[in-house]
Each structure stands twice: as structure tokens, then as C-alpha cells.
Amino acid sequence: MSEQSVSEKLPIHREVVIIGSGPAGLTAAIYAARADLAPLVIEGEPSSTSDQPGGQLMLTTDVENFPGFPEGIMGPQLMADMRAQASRFGAEIVSAKVSRVDFSDQPFRLWIGNSEASEPTHTADAVIVSTGARSVMLGLEAEQRLIGHGLSTCATCDGFFFRDQEIAVVGGGDSALEEAGFLSKFASKVTVVHRRDELRASKIMQKRSIDNPKIEFAWNSMVEDVLGESKVEGLILRDTVTDDTRILPVTGVFIAIGHRPNTDLFTDCLDMDEAGYLVTVPDRSATNVEGVFACGDVQDHTYRQAITAAASGCMAAIDAERWLESRTD
């Protein structure tokens, strides 16, 4: 692994800098490195919740739907392999967090550490943003302990593991009911836990869920705790009206109360939609700033899968390569 100290003489110029190191960022790094662009990957900090190196797969155990692994692979191992592959082709990786960017002029400027410093840490001809998104959680200690051990934020990823089991979905919007409907294909019963007595979801999603014989509702209920030391064994629910508590025995729980893209760094320079996701040109990875590209969950609120993130990372690297070539024509 080629690591570069940020204490070297500043600023350091690169043709391509990639911010983020999930499946999108590392795939972009592999393609950019193979194109002889010598990309620098600023992967984030292990202590950060918003830009965890390796992305959400670092919090995932078995990954069984990523092509090429018939027996499945652990999420952290998949990301370690992608990281090693990017390094093998010449990508350099810095374990640090970008604190400030300036995309107002060429070359682009990026700061690590002190965002008030007059000189940036790095400059770049092209930047690929792959900072991802994170699931909004309940804020319980048990979530950190049980994520990947019966507690999940992705039904498409993990629903298969709960065949013929009783599980719960926390949330009341379209995403929660969509997750519940998908999970009902596998589980024997899905209980939707919602803190009010009516759903926020669209009428058609409500009707589908109410008509589904496998879906039940725990109204006026909030999750006070998740039971289990090494795996989910149940939920402690508190009634928001009576304040009474009860135990809901389940072997799995899916948190579906929303996602938040990691885009705070780009608030004043890149276009975003109403939910904060970066806006890219249709069928491409280009943003509103020429030379800045975005890929992965930071611009995808629809699929949020490792394979689609990797695919968009490939697109961003190819878009960046072609854009750089166009400047020399």
C-alpha cells in the first residue's frame, strides 16, 4: 500500500484526486490508475462517522450479492481487496479527511486538517467526489454492537438471511414500507414500528402494506432498545401515548428512517437536490462544475448498492479521463 504523508511540502498537485474510498471511490481509483492518471485517494478517517474509509461495507458482514463471489465475502474484506487492487495499479491513498474545498478556479484546491490555512494541502486538475451517504440511525448503543448481526439498514442486501423469521422495520415512510414489502418475501412476519398512528408513506404504499398478510403494524411505538449481545433477540418498544413498554420478539430489525448524503463539504460549490444529494448530468457523472465528477451513494438515492456504486465509480473515472484529454486537444 502506498501511503503519503500530508506533512510533505504543500500544496501537492495531482491530475486526479478522489474524495472517499467506498466501492465507488476505489473503483474510480482502479480505473484512473490504469489510465496512468496516478490518482490520489483521500479515504477519510477511521474515527469519522460521515466518511468511514471503505464506506458502509465496512459495517457489513456477509456480502452475497456482489458478482464474482459465489460463496459470498465479508464487507471489510471486499473493501480491503479493492483498496489493494487500486494500490497495485498506482493509486496513492491518504487516511485523512478533507476539511475544505475550493472549486471556483483551476486547479481545484483541497485542504486536509486546518481548513483556515492559506495554502491548500492538495491541488488537482480533476476531482471525483465519492463521499457516500449514511443511514439515519436511532442513536442507540446497541446499533453499533449489532449492525450486521441481525440489525441492518438495507433489505435488498440482507433480506435473504431472514427467511421464515419474524423481523421488524422501523419507519413510516415510503422507504420503510418498500423495505417491509421486500422483506415479506422471506420473513414469516414483518412488524412495521412507527411512532405515530398514521403513516407518512404514499397512499398506494400504505394500501400495499395493509393488504399484505405478512405485514403488521406497531402503532404509536418507538424503539427504546434492541435486545441481544451478539445478535438481535428482540426490541423494547415504548408506547408514545401511554408510556408503557413491551418486548417485541424478533430476530432482525431494519432501520428505515432515512439516509443522509455526506455532502456538507460541497454546500457552496456543487448543485444538490432537495435531499442534499449531488446532482449529476443524466447518464454521466459530471456535476455543475466542469472537472468535478460525482459517483456512488453521494449522488444516488435510488439504488444504494455496492455494485451500482462501483459501476458509477467506473463512469466517473472514464468521464474524468476523457475530460482531461479534451483539455489537451
Side-chain angles (χ1 to χ4, degrees):
M1 179 60 60
S2 177
E3 301 286 354
Q4 180 172 340
S5 171
V6 297
S7 62
E8 295 178 23
K9 186 176 180 180
L10 306 179
I12 304 165
H13 184 75
R14 302 283 177 175
E15 273 195 284
V16 177
V17 169
I18 299 168
I19 308 175
S21 61
L26 291 179
T27 301
I30 291 169
Y31 273 78
R34 284 177 54 83
D36 291 329
L37 295 177
L40 173 68
V41 181
I42 305 176
E43 68 173 355
E45 294 177 328
S47 60
S48 173
T49 58
S50 62
D51 62 349
Q52 164 80 27
Q56 293 296 301
L57 282 186
M58 297 300 291
L59 306 175
T60 305
T61 51
D62 293 317
V63 178
E64 294 195 332
N65 56 3
F66 199 92
F69 299 95
E71 302 302 321
I73 186 172
M74 300 293 282
Q77 185 60 54
L78 176 59
M79 298 320 301
D81 290 347
M82 292 179 72
R83 194 175 191 269
Q85 188 175 2
S87 178
R88 173 195 167 200
F89 291 119
E92 296 194 31
I93 299 175
V94 170
S95 296
K97 181 178 180 178
V98 177
S99 57
R100 175 186 164 197
V101 297
D102 183 352
F103 295 156
S104 62
D105 198 7
Q106 277 280 358
F108 301 129
R109 307 198 299 165
L110 304 93
W111 282 257
I112 290 175
N114 182 11
S115 62
E116 300 301 321
S118 58
E119 288 296 319
T121 315
H122 297 281
T123 58
D125 296 323
V127 171
I128 296 175
V129 177
S130 57
T131 48
R134 60 188 182 276
S135 299
V136 178
M137 304 298 279
L138 299 171
L140 304 174
E141 181 278 330
E143 289 175 310
Q144 302 302 316
R145 183 176 73 251
L146 295 172
I147 187 78
H149 300 280
L151 189 148
S152 175
T153 60
C154 179
T156 307
C157 309
D158 299 326
F160 177 82
F161 300 114
F162 295 90
R163 190 176 295 277
D164 299 323
Q165 299 180 44
E166 294 188 9
I167 59 179
V169 173
V170 182
D174 280 350
S175 294
L177 297 192
E178 186 175 348
E179 299 266 279
F182 180 84
L183 291 167
S184 70
K185 300 176 183 179
F186 306 98
S188 59
K189 183 172 77 171
V190 180
T191 300
V192 176
V193 179
H194 188 46
R195 59 190 307 149
R196 296 197 292 269
D197 60 359
E198 59 181 21
L199 298 165
R200 293 180 290 105
S202 60
K203 296 299 183 183
I204 188 169
M205 291 300 296
Q206 292 188 43
K207 185 178 188 308
R208 288 175 184 171
S209 298
I210 292 170
D211 290 346
N212 189 323
K214 285 189 175 183
I215 296 178
E216 297 184 2
F217 294 88
W219 302 108
N220 296 318
S221 299
M222 59 182 294
V223 179
E224 189 161 276
D225 204 358
V226 184
L227 300 174
E229 286 301 315
S230 58
K231 62 180 181 179
V232 171
E233 297 176 357
L235 302 178
I236 298 180
L237 301 183
R238 180 172 295 277
D239 192 298
T240 58
V241 176
T242 66
D243 208 37
D244 294 335
T245 60
R246 67 184 179 95
I247 293 177
L248 178 68
V250 293
T251 55
V253 56
F254 289 76
I255 311 299
I257 57 177
H259 290 80
R260 186 172 185 271
N262 300 319
T263 53
D264 290 349
L265 187 64
F266 314 105
T267 299
D268 297 325
C269 54
L270 296 180
D271 286 349
M272 304 177 188
D273 64 15
E274 62 278 2
Y277 289 85
L278 296 185
V279 175
T280 54
V281 174
D283 300 320
R284 293 181 57 220
S285 63
T287 67
N288 61 296
V289 176
E290 188 175 349
V292 178
F293 306 87
C295 55
D297 289 5
V298 75
Q299 53 84 53
D300 171 24
H301 52 72
T302 302
Y303 300 104
R304 294 194 293 262
Q305 299 296 302
I307 189 64
T308 52
S312 69
C314 166
M315 293 169 59
I318 293 174
D319 287 345
E321 178 189 5
R322 290 174 177 171
W323 179 78
L324 289 167
E325 288 179 349
S326 71
R327 301 175 72 216
T328 60
D329 290 345

